[in-house]
C-alpha cells in the first residue's frame, strides 16, 4: 500500500513540477523547490508580491481564477511581522493530475496579472 501511495504522490508531484515549468518559467522572479517528500511544492515570487489572505494575489487567485493556495507566511515561525510574505505552499495531495495542471495554469494567470500592475 505504501508503495502505491508513494508512487501516486510522486506522479502528482511531477505533474505539478512540469506545470510549474510550463506556466511559471517565463515569469521573472518566480522559482520553486523540487520536494523530496511530503505533499507540497514551495513557490517563491518576487518580494514585491505579498501572498497573504488580504493580498491582491490571493483575491485574484480565489475570486477570479477559482484556485486556492496556502500563503507561505503561515508556515514560518517567528513573529508574524518578520515572516517572508512572497511564498506560496501548493498541495498536490488531493487533486488529480489534470486538476493540478489546470490549477497551476490558473494561478500563473493570477500572478501575471498582479505583476503587470
Amino acid at each position: 500500500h505504501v508503495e502505491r501511495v508513494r508512487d501516486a504522490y510522486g506522479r502528482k508531484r511531477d505533474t505539478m513540477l512540469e506545470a510549474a515549468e510550463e506556466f511559471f518559467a517565463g515569469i521573472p522572479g518566480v522559482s520553486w523547490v523540487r520536494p523530496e517528500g511530503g505533499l507540497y511544492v514551495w513557490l517563491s515570487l518576487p518580494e514585491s508580491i505579498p501572498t497573504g489572505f488580504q493580498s491582491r494575489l490571493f483575491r485574484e487567485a480565489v475570486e477570479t481564477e477559482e484556485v486556492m493556495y496556502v500563503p507561505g507566511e503561515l508556515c514560518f515561525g517567528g513573529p508574524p511581522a518578520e515572516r517572508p510574505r512572497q511564498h506560496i505552499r501548493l498541495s498536490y495531495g488531493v487533486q488529480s493530475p489534470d486538476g493540478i495542471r489546470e490549477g497551476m495554469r490558473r494561478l500563473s494567470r493570477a500572478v501575471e496579472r498582479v505583476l503587470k500592475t
Side-chain angles (χ1 to χ4, degrees):
H1 175 73
V2 170
E3 280 186 35
R4 282 196 315 268
V5 170
R6 185 183 60 221
D7 291 344
Y9 286 143
R11 284 190 299 277
K12 290 179 176 190
R13 177 205 59 207
D14 292 347
T15 297
M16 184 169 277
L17 293 171
E18 290 165 7
E21 185 65 38
E22 180 178 353
F23 299 117
F24 288 94
I27 303 175
V30 177
S31 62
W32 52 92
V33 176
R34 177 186 173 82
E36 295 300 322
L39 299 171
Y40 306 101
V41 169
W42 280 91
L43 191 72
S44 296
L45 302 175
E47 287 186 30
S48 62
I49 301 180
T51 62
F53 291 129
Q54 303 305 316
S55 70
R56 176 162 177 236
L57 178 61
F58 194 82
R59 287 190 311 276
E60 287 283 337
V62 173
E63 295 170 12
T64 305
E65 296 295 342
E66 298 180 334
V67 65
M68 177 75 82
Y69 63 80
V70 174
E73 66 194 65
L74 300 177
C75 304
F76 288 94
E82 296 176 15
R83 296 175 189 168
R85 305 229 179 266
Q86 77 276 14
H87 301 287
I88 294 174
R89 188 176 79 167
L90 300 169
S91 174
Y92 52 82
V94 176
Q95 280 291 328
S96 69
D98 288 342
I100 290 167
R101 187 174 188 291
E102 177 63 15
M104 294 294 278
R105 183 179 69 80
R106 291 179 185 189
L107 182 59
S108 72
R109 289 191 315 219
V111 169
E112 287 178 323
R113 276 195 305 279
V114 170
L115 275 171
K116 288 179 183 176
T117 58

